[in-house]
Amino acid sequence: MELRGDLQSFPLAQLIQTLDNAQRTGKLSIEGHLGSFAIFFQKGRVIHAQSPYSSGLPAFFDAFLERDGTFNFVSNVIMPPRRITQSNTSLLIEATGLADEYARSGIHTKPSELHVSLAENDSDATVTLTADEFLLLRKAGEPESFDRILKEAEFGFFRAWTALNGLVDKNMITLSKSEA
């Protein structure tokens, strides 16, 4: 079975439900403004995903950033090992929640256009960082594009976005949009 289309006409959540109901095995490829994504299905269940920034569960969630891309499903592929074990229903609930939260943030800049820099902070106050915030802070030592940080951190857009917002809230970094 081969299936092609665009995500505006056939949203990703609906597409995943369709493949689940039909119990299809294969690879769903997605091309969009952030790059290439792949979601692998075995008898309708999501078993693995890949994104430009990560693999496994974070990559599955990152695919939901693409709302205007195109997709192609093919059955004749070599399947990767299972790295995702949650039910499709729980995956969809979490993914759509993350995507909606990101959409409400009002920031719709490509990661390659967003720059991260250390903030000027003269405060002596103690700051508690999460492990993800610490990792991103280490990578932001020099002005760096969010795209490059994502590729180096390898833990997915939504996880990195959460840590980035935490660092902004703590006045540890600043974000700026690059001029093209």
Side-chain angles (χ1 to χ4, degrees):
M1 168 190 166
E2 188 162 325
L3 181 63
R4 296 175 188 269
D6 66 85
L7 295 173
Q8 282 189 323
S9 301
F10 208 160
L12 186 55
Q14 183 181 356
L15 187 55
I16 290 169
Q17 290 172 327
T18 299
L19 295 169
D20 187 9
N21 291 337
Q23 298 208 339
R24 304 309 308 177
T25 296
K27 175 183 171 184
L28 177 64
S29 298
I30 300 166
E31 293 292 329
H33 73 287
L34 293 177
S36 301
F37 295 82
I39 300 174
F40 294 88
F41 294 80
Q42 191 167 49
K43 295 182 181 175
R45 299 244 359 232
V46 173
I47 64 161
H48 187 64
Q50 296 171 324
S51 81
Y53 309 113
S54 58
S55 64
L57 196 55
F60 176 80
F61 295 141
D62 289 354
F64 279 79
L65 292 168
E66 297 293 355
R67 297 189 185 255
D68 300 324
T70 59
F71 66 84
N72 181 39
F73 181 83
V74 293
S75 299
N76 191 14
V77 296
I78 296 173
M79 299 300 282
R82 175 184 289 264
R83 292 193 54 204
I84 299 175
T85 58
Q86 292 90 325
S87 72
N88 287 359
T89 301
S90 68
L91 290 171
L92 290 173
I93 290 169
E94 190 169 353
T96 54
L98 287 168
D100 289 346
E101 182 180 323
Y102 176 70
R104 281 192 304 274
S105 77
I107 298 174
H108 302 289
T109 303
K110 291 181 185 178
S112 61
E113 297 173 349
L114 192 62
H115 282 255
V116 179
S117 304
L118 290 176
E120 301 272 337
N121 188 341
D122 295 333
S123 173
D124 289 335
T126 302
V127 176
T128 303
L129 301 176
T130 67
D132 289 346
E133 289 170 346
F134 180 74
L135 177 63
L136 287 183
L137 190 59
R138 284 186 29 215
K139 297 200 177 298
E142 306 239 348
E144 191 80 66
S145 79
F146 186 44
D147 184 61
R148 184 164 177 176
I149 291 172
L150 279 170
K151 288 175 182 169
E152 290 176 7
E154 297 181 345
F155 52 53
F157 181 88
F158 286 112
R159 186 171 154 197
W161 184 252
T162 300
L164 207 60
N165 281 317
L167 290 169
V168 168
D169 291 344
K170 294 170 183 171
N171 296 317
M172 301 294 290
I173 62 167
T174 59
L175 302 177
S176 59
K177 187 173 179 180
S178 67
E179 301 300 320

